[in-house]
Amino acid sequence: MSSDVVVEAKNLSHVYSNGIVALNNINITIRRGEFVALIGHNGSGKTTLAKHINGLLKPTSGQIIVHRMDTREVSVADLAKKVGYVFQNPDHQLCMKTVWEELAFGPRNLGTPEDEVKQVVDEILRLFGLERYRDVHPFLLSRADRLRVALCSVLTMRPETLVVDEPTTGQDMRQSYEVMEILKKLNKEGRTVVFITHNMRLVAEYAERCIIMKDGKVFMDKPTREALTDFEKLRQAQLKPPQVTILSARLANIGFHEPALSVNEFVENVKAFLNNKYKSL
Amino acid sequence: MWGIVDKIPIEIKSFWWKYATSEEWVLSDINFSVREGEFVVITGPTGAGKTTLCLTMAGLIPYHYNGTLKGRVYVFGKDTTTLGSSDMASLVGIVFQDPESQFLTMSVEDEIAFGLENLALPLEDMRERVYEAARLVKVEDLLERAPYELSGGQKQRVAIAAALAMKPKVLVLDEPTGQLDPIGKEEVVNVLQSLKKQGITIIVVEHILEELAPFTDRLVVMNGGRILYDGDFRGFFKDAEEVFKSGVPSPQVVELTLLLRRELKKELEIPITLEEAEQMLNKLIPVKKFVQ
């Protein structure tokens, strides 16, 4: 395994105790610094796969190597030093009486010396503009802020890899973009980010690569542009490209051969197109 | 039922509401009415008061919640504070974001029949209503299945069928597609469109407006417990500044047109559907003239 591989699933399957095959022979490799969207229909196995990356679930056959550790052989606590996992519902992970304590919980559990805990917690609070909430009970915050606290409480453990399950559910569009911008920043700093979402617009604008799940299998694993412009395959996976991508495909007959993934890209394409046309007159 | 034919389905007059646990008004001075057969979309940032307004229209506020109110809410001319919950249930049906939170039984058929069981209908009528509701949302082939086995889109359609079985005059849906994959969303949107054609009055809360745009009669934008805009869909997106300030995510076709207007310094009509956007761009780019 080359040193920059952070996640490697080999013939990974997971059968729940009721017999449901949630994951069926998954083979994927994720490298350091990647920004990956894990997408697929409801019940396709996205969350089950994500929970294998942090060791909350273990393969029932096959294996998954995460930061050089076979998840069956190490504790969730050991994995937590490397992989941060943010739950779909922030209330499933918040457990302390103040925001400050919540953020300190993870590093304390990892045995971090108290002066370092204080340093990292204060730093992350500052980074996310949550200082004013430091003594507030997490459950008194809005859902959007609880999600940010949940994310921060994982970040204080300084994980190299972040797995975020539906970071934008229950958030409005502006809040969704705020969360994605945070993930982007963390990715730019060198962290590997895997996020689950149904919002294809966010996939198009942030992910470099899409792992598309369907019925417990990896249905497609491609760079985002390639994945989101294969409309037929997307439909088979119960997914749809962003509206602007559909629009640019409809305009292919008048020369838009580069499908746009975002509004900005579309507008740039139109401008370039008009410039070229008029110049060639 | 009680000569409701000519009455306005929902009429809210200077309504204010504060939950027992909230410090400030969650709804402030709401004046809002819905006409028969209208398809109304409510949007706005989280915390705007959209869910509270849904609960109010369905009579669950103040019936099931403690709090303080001012003003009046009328459903077909009746003050909701005077209507019992069973009367309300046959006038206004409500569907929530998470369909599983309202499932209670082990089969789709029982789930759709659940509310009806309280109406003491003859068995035959009940069967008829369950089948009719299932057919309207296209789950008639799933009646024997367990709700938890269904896809997200199917689950939400079952939840809608359960509300429809009560034959409500008005259907209120609070972010019915919020947890669904894109095709599940499309399924629910198609069902809403066909219910509109049946003449059912529909009020739906949504964050993502692209798919609803083509058949929305009215858009209501809320923020901070107040109604910021109440009018036709296209009208709201005319003023780029206002749209940006409201935090409402425009359909991408709107967003790109506003951006093109600024970049190209051209007056472009705002499209609200893919088809309109295609037409607008075909005009903007007179391709035939310039080819080679």
Side-chain angles (χ1 to χ4, degrees), chain A residues 226-263:
Chain A
E226 241 177 281
L228 294 195
T229 51
D230 193 339
F231 294 0
E232 184 47 43
K233 278 208 135 182
L234 280 181
R235 178 155 280 272
Q236 287 168 24
Q238 296 274 86
L239 301 173
K240 274 172 87 174
Q243 192 180 35
V244 78
T245 311
I246 302 175
L247 181 64
S248 52
R250 287 193 182 190
L251 295 172
N253 60 343
I254 56 171
F256 271 70
H257 295 298
E258 276 299 307
L261 294 186
S262 70
V263 168

Side-chain angles (χ1 to χ4, degrees), chain A residues 94-103 105 133-140:
Chain A
L94 298 173
C95 58
M96 302 301 284
K97 285 202 182 102
T98 69
V99 167
W100 199 93
E101 293 288 320
E102 192 65 56
L103 265 63
F105 182 80
Y133 297 139
R134 55 180 293 141
D135 298 319
V136 176
H137 196 295
F139 284 108
L140 293 177

Side-chain angles (χ1 to χ4, degrees), chain B residues 255-273:
Chain B
E255 208 176 296
L256 79 88
T257 310
L258 292 175
L259 204 55
L260 279 174
R261 271 184 176 181
R262 202 180 68 196
E263 296 282 308
L264 303 176
K265 302 189 175 53
K266 272 194 174 155
E267 268 309 307
L268 301 168
E269 285 282 313
I270 303 278
I272 58 171
T273 63

Side-chain angles (χ1 to χ4, degrees), chain B residues 1-291:
Chain B
M1 193 182 307
W2 325 319
I4 58 174
V5 190
D6 300 327
K7 299 270 166 60
I8 300 168
I10 290 180
E11 196 172 13
I12 303 179
K13 290 187 170 170
S14 311
F15 187 79
W16 299 65
W17 172 262
K18 180 158 54 171
Y19 293 99
T21 51
S22 47
E23 282 170 20
E24 285 167 33
W25 293 104
V26 176
L27 293 178
S28 305
D29 197 23
I30 301 288
N31 286 286
F32 172 64
S33 61
V34 179
R35 285 181 290 277
E36 185 143 26
E38 252 189 321
F39 192 102
V40 180
V41 173
I42 302 178
T43 196
T46 56
K50 305 183 298 294
T51 295
T52 306
L53 185 59
C54 286
L55 296 171
T56 302
M57 291 187 285
L60 295 169
I61 284 180
Y63 203 82
H64 283 287
Y65 290 84
N66 292 324
T68 314
L69 66 79
K70 291 195 275 183
R72 289 274 179 269
V73 179
Y74 300 98
V75 172
F76 291 100
K78 302 260 178 190
D79 189 324
T80 55
T81 55
T82 67
L83 285 167
S85 56
S86 67
D87 291 333
M88 273 310 294
S90 53
L91 291 174
V92 182
I94 186 162
V95 175
F96 299 98
Q97 179 172 17
D98 175 9
E100 282 178 56
S101 69
Q102 54 196 111
F103 287 161
L104 299 154
T105 69
M106 293 306 283
S107 81
V108 168
E109 187 172 20
D110 289 349
E111 202 51 57
I112 299 175
F114 190 81
L116 290 178
E117 284 171 3
N118 299 314
L119 299 185
L121 294 172
L123 189 61
E124 240 348 272
D125 290 7
M126 218 162 105
R127 282 224 176 91
E128 177 73 15
R129 280 210 196 182
V130 168
Y131 186 76
E132 172 69 14
R135 205 182 48 78
L136 279 173
V137 303
K138 300 186 180 70
V139 295
E140 67 270 35
D141 298 330
L142 304 173
L143 290 174
E144 308 295 316
R145 301 272 295 277
Y148 64 80
E149 290 176 354
L150 307 179
S151 73
Q154 288 169 335
K155 280 180 192 158
Q156 195 54 284
R157 284 184 285 148
V158 170
I160 295 172
L164 287 176
M166 304 295 285
K167 298 210 172 178
K169 306 283 175 202
V170 179
L171 191 60
V172 175
L173 305 103
D174 188 7
E175 295 193 41
T177 73
Q179 300 190 353
L180 304 183
D181 56 52
I183 299 294
K185 259 187 193 60
E186 193 179 273
E187 288 169 10
V188 169
V189 168
N190 290 342
V191 160
L192 294 182
Q193 190 170 14
S194 76
L195 293 176
K196 180 190 174 178
K197 286 191 192 129
Q198 312 266 337
I200 297 175
T201 306
I202 297 173
I203 300 149
V204 52
V205 170
E206 263 296 350
H207 280 301
I208 297 172
L209 305 176
E210 286 162 3
E211 311 212 33
L212 294 172
F215 54 96
T216 298
D217 296 319
R218 224 168 104 203
L219 181 69
V220 174
V221 179
M222 295 185 72
N223 202 346
R226 292 176 184 272
I227 291 180
L228 215 69
Y229 176 87
D230 181 353
D232 84 311
F233 192 96
R234 201 181 302 271
F236 178 68
F237 296 101
K238 280 196 182 120
D239 186 344
E241 286 285 305
E242 281 302 312
V243 173
F244 182 76
K245 264 195 290 181
S246 73
V248 169
S250 317
Q252 285 192 316
V253 291
V254 172
E255 208 176 296
L256 79 88
T257 310
L258 292 175
L259 204 55
L260 279 174
R261 271 184 176 181
R262 202 180 68 196
E263 296 282 308
L264 303 176
K265 302 189 175 53
K266 272 194 174 155
E267 268 309 307
L268 301 168
E269 285 282 313
I270 303 278
I272 58 171
T273 63
L274 264 173
E275 287 67 29
E276 290 179 6
E278 205 179 334
Q279 281 170 16
M280 182 272 289
L281 286 157
N282 274 320
K283 260 188 246 164
L284 180 68
I285 306 167
V287 64
K288 296 262 159 45
K289 254 190 260 175
F290 298 128
V291 161

Side-chain angles (χ1 to χ4, degrees), chain A residues 62-127:
Chain A
Q63 63 174 173
I64 180 164
I65 311 291
V66 179
H67 287 274
R68 300 175 181 225
M69 293 175 273
D70 184 326
T71 63
R72 289 169 308 183
E73 289 161 10
V74 294
S75 66
V76 174
D78 283 330
L79 280 165
K81 290 175 194 159
K82 296 285 186 184
V83 182
Y85 183 84
V86 184
F87 284 81
Q88 194 166 0
N89 183 344
D91 301 340
H92 288 172
Q93 69 188 89
L94 298 173
C95 58
M96 302 301 284
K97 285 202 182 102
T98 69
V99 167
W100 199 93
E101 293 288 320
E102 192 65 56
L103 265 63
F105 182 80
R108 276 179 181 159
N109 261 347
L110 297 180
T112 311
E114 199 56 27
D115 54 334
E116 270 179 51
V117 171
K118 195 177 168 315
Q119 199 187 338
V120 69
V121 170
D122 288 340
E123 183 195 321
I124 299 279
L125 279 177
R126 204 168 40 243
L127 194 63

